[in-house]
Amino acid sequence: MAKMEVKTSLLDDMIGVGDMVLLEPLDEDSFINNLKKRFDHNEVYTYIGSVVISINPYRSLPIYTPEKVEEYRNRNFYELSPHIFALSDEAYRSLRDQDKDQCILITGESGAGKTEASKLVMSYVAAVCGKGAEVNQVKEQLLQSNPVLEAFGNAKTMRNDNSSRFGKYMDIEFDFKGDPLGGVISNYLLEKSRVVKQPRGERNFHIFYQILSGASEEFLCKLKLERDFSRYNYLGLDSARVNGVDDAANFRTVRNAMQIVGFMDHETQSVFEVVAAVLKLGNIEFKPESRANGLDESKIKDKNELKEICELTGIDQSVLERAFSFRTVEAKQEKVSTTLNVAQAYYARDALAKNLYSRLFSWLVTRINESIKAQTKVRKKVMGVLDIYGFEIFEDNSFEQFIINYCNEKLQQIFIELTLKEEQEEYIREGIEWTHIEYFNNAIICDLIENNQTGILAMLDEECLRPGTVTDETFLEKLNQVCATHQHFESRMSKCSRFLNDTSLPHSCFRIQHYAGKVMYQVEGFVDKNNDLLYRDLSQAMWKANHSLIKALFPEGNPAKINLKRPPTAGSQFKASVATLMKNLQTKNPNYIRCIKPNDKKAAHIFNEALVCHQIRYLGLLENVRVRRAGYAFRQPYEPCLERYKMLCKQTWPHWRGPARAGVEVLFNELRIPEEEFSFGRSKIFIRNPRTLFKLEDLRKQRLEDLATLIGKIYRGWKCRTHFLLMKKCQVVIASWYRRYSQQKKYQKIKSSAITVQSYIRGWKARKLLRELKHMKRCNEAATVIAAYWHGTQARRELKRLKEEARRKHAVAVIWAFWLGLKVRREYRKFFRANAGRKIYEFTLQRIMQKYFLEMKNKMPSLSPIDKNWPARPYLFLESTHKELKRIFHLWRCKKYRDQFTDQQKLIYEEKLEASELFKDKKALYPASVGQPFQGAYLEIGENPKYKKLKDAVDEKIIIAEVVNKINRANGKAASRIFLLTKNNVLLADQKSGTIKSEVPLGDVTKVSMSSQNDGFFAVHLKEGSEAASKGDFLLSSDHLIEMATKLYRTTLSQTKQKLNIEISDEFLVQFKQDKVCVKFIQGSQKNGNIPTCKRKNNRLLEVAVP
């Protein structure tokens, strides 16, 4: 169903008929065809009124999800498709809101899905009831009791891989809010004969196989068991393994469930010890031995098994051995001890095994009840869930089938009674006249079985208790005498002539005509199974055990409490249990789930009509439908009825303002439905014939189609009108915007034209004014120029006169100076002639040097240390001086430049200088790193809370913190790591969690290798034999390779006083654990652009492709 679609009735989108009460025509074929049609469409649930028919799909269906639980929560029973959740919700809400105790009766044959249905009911109630720690604990204990009881009480049969071999009734107790308080479990008739013998193709109880498959070797050793199934006689080997069943996982589930339910460890251990003892009892074998008096007795062949059983149970070996060989009969203060022959010994062994397991199962139920019982004494509401065997008809039917079918007869009787009672109460409550309904009353069959004087169970008990020889044949003979005239009893040995020649009825059998059909019972084993005797010697031996659990299971073995009274028979016990159960069910409001098995192959998608027909007959489903629809086939409250069909009448559509009943009356009168077809109750409308309901549905469907057409027409008209109005509004908006745009454009054009005219006028005025100003200026300049020329002429004339006068005076002075110089040179020539050359040389040299330094002062280069400009040398003899002066100047300006640096900047430039010495002209990546400052802390370890754990783990100062890629030698793929360098260690940590992966002391780092190409790959080589080198060297990749290698080199030199070897080669070896791998760098084009990639070539070569 689409997510937005909402169902308001099970009649919506119905596949077949969801409620069999509405089936037309009603017969067996139409009933089966309707079930098959729904089954083929994965609709496994169908209603008969308030009864749910469940067909086992033998596969998982997506109809039990939490979303489905919420869908059915607090919804009307008939509001959604048939589902077991609908019945569970109806029962829970009736209990919570109406304070009515509820019971849910789940019946059907083995393999029909009764156990799964009970689990679904309990899981739904657990999901919808209250929350809270205490409530959740109670819910968990109630749910976890199922795995424990299934392990000990379920087995694989021919019809079912998880067949319940006991009947279970659980009362779940709730408080006034509807929250679970606890529960009480009752069990009925465990099939204990399965412990010692299983039919071919079937298994013993699950727990035996689960222990052997799932227990540890140590635990098996404690239980003195072996894992091999073939070692134990009580385990059938032909079906020891079941496809799709994991016994080992189920054993772990059972142990966990026992812990949740509340079993103590020593209790769990004791339970498994008892199970092991039962398993080992089957391995005890006997051999015949003759005594001197001629009597036969039995002896145990191999006492090793007996010894291990005694060690497990704490029983004296001699006591148990005697109990298997002798039987003590006590009567009137006399004790008589008789020997047991081999057959009797085997009977005693099997009886002990059956009783031990049966009593253990009853103890488990009691112990679970102690854990899950309500702790408070407040008034409680109760919901009972009955999961009990269905009607059984086999080829060979014995005492167990007789008891089971008797229980089903009682359930059918109470089902008919309560169904009629519920119908009658509803009719009276609604004020509808009740008419008597004819139906088959199976009380006569129940009386045949349970009558205290002439009933089959009473005669069986009487035969078991009478003295003398008692056999199954004497019991059948008695039945033939007492029940010969009963119309539901058949036997060839009876006095009724009808069956004397019935060859289908063997002489050792009798047949009962049950409500579900005739069943023939083999009388063999009836007496023994009803007696269910356990020799007193074995009871006393069990009571003497040092095992507390076993001792508690056999209280009658206490010598101080010897009771000579014969214990009640199995039939009488079960009859009393069924009577108690029926009395309990009659006090509660019943809810029924009828489970049907679609095929015997336990396969999905197979619907065997003959098998389903057989189950429909013995479940009495057609009878149930006829009872349900004997008066009125369909009833519904007025409000939902009016809501569903109001569109069929103009007066009620679309809204009815008055009471809902009045609206329904108007509706039915308008539709002219005959009055005999319906009746008005106090709160519901009752419809007699399903045809009337289907007619209403057809009218509703047609009307909905008409309404859909009308709605579509109105919608299309609204859509077109809306579109037109939108287009109109858009046109108005566009027109207004266009007019505004047109006017704006016109205004801008006019404004531009005005500005242009104004500019032209202002330009003309300015040019006119300029011309006038220029004319005035030229006039003024002309006068000035004329005056200047005149003044200049006058000045030049005066200057010429003064120059002439000055030349005359200078000529006299020069002549006089030359004369004096001549005289002086003549006078002193004789004194300076010898030193004149040297003096002139020194004077010239001094003048040249002065000129050189003065020129150098004006031509000095800038103070930048990287400025390589220097003035050219003027004279050859100044070559050395020129170079030295250049060197001194460079050193001086470098000192001036260094004086500007802080200590941190000095450290950075020292690292840059170190990097230059290590990598310049060696590594192609180096030039790109020169302009990049060395930061060191690329990750803010201290400020980022993500690395708080890493910061706390590192106590030293971090020199460099950078994300690197660690290369995996297996495939060459990279994994991100945090690279940390401290004063003493190199660390690698996980980038996401901050967890330190590796920590290497600097003293263990021997070498760093890298290629000469433009990549960031480098290998850190570790000292052989060191702890850090156990996993091998590190092959890493970083975007700051030059900085990391330089800092690692300087830190290593500072701490170890030894230079770290930096190897630059395009091919080097890396140690990975025990192997050396060659890392080779090649040139190649990359798919990922300019990113180098690493690829594994073989076990000894990693190839790095560098762009």
Side-chain angles (χ1 to χ4, degrees), residues 461-480:
D461 286 349
E462 183 179 333
E463 191 69 12
C464 290
L465 294 175
R466 76 173 176 83
T469 303
V470 178
T471 64
D472 296 319
E473 288 74 17
T474 61
F475 165 63
L476 180 59
E477 184 179 344
K478 189 161 190 171
L479 283 183
N480 292 332

Side-chain angles (χ1 to χ4, degrees), residues 233-268:
N233 297 331
Y234 279 167
L235 300 184
L237 299 180
D238 52 341
S239 298
R241 304 285 182 185
V242 181
N243 292 333
V245 176
D246 188 347
D247 289 317
N250 291 340
F251 178 70
R252 292 190 292 271
T253 302
V254 170
R255 296 201 68 171
N256 182 58
M258 293 178 75
Q259 185 178 4
I260 293 173
V261 170
F263 283 82
M264 307 299 291
D265 290 342
H266 71 274
E267 291 177 325
T268 305

Side-chain angles (χ1 to χ4, degrees), residues 313-356:
T313 58
I315 303 174
D316 190 316
Q317 184 174 343
S318 60
V319 173
L320 187 57
E321 184 177 0
R322 176 175 175 77
F324 281 133
S325 303
F326 295 88
R327 178 186 179 188
T328 302
V329 180
E330 184 174 349
K332 295 183 180 180
Q333 307 300 323
E334 293 184 6
K335 291 184 179 180
V336 179
S337 182
T338 60
T339 60
L340 301 178
N341 58 30
V342 172
Q344 291 172 331
Y346 276 116
Y347 174 84
R349 179 200 69 176
D350 291 345
L352 176 60
K354 291 188 289 184
N355 272 271
L356 189 57

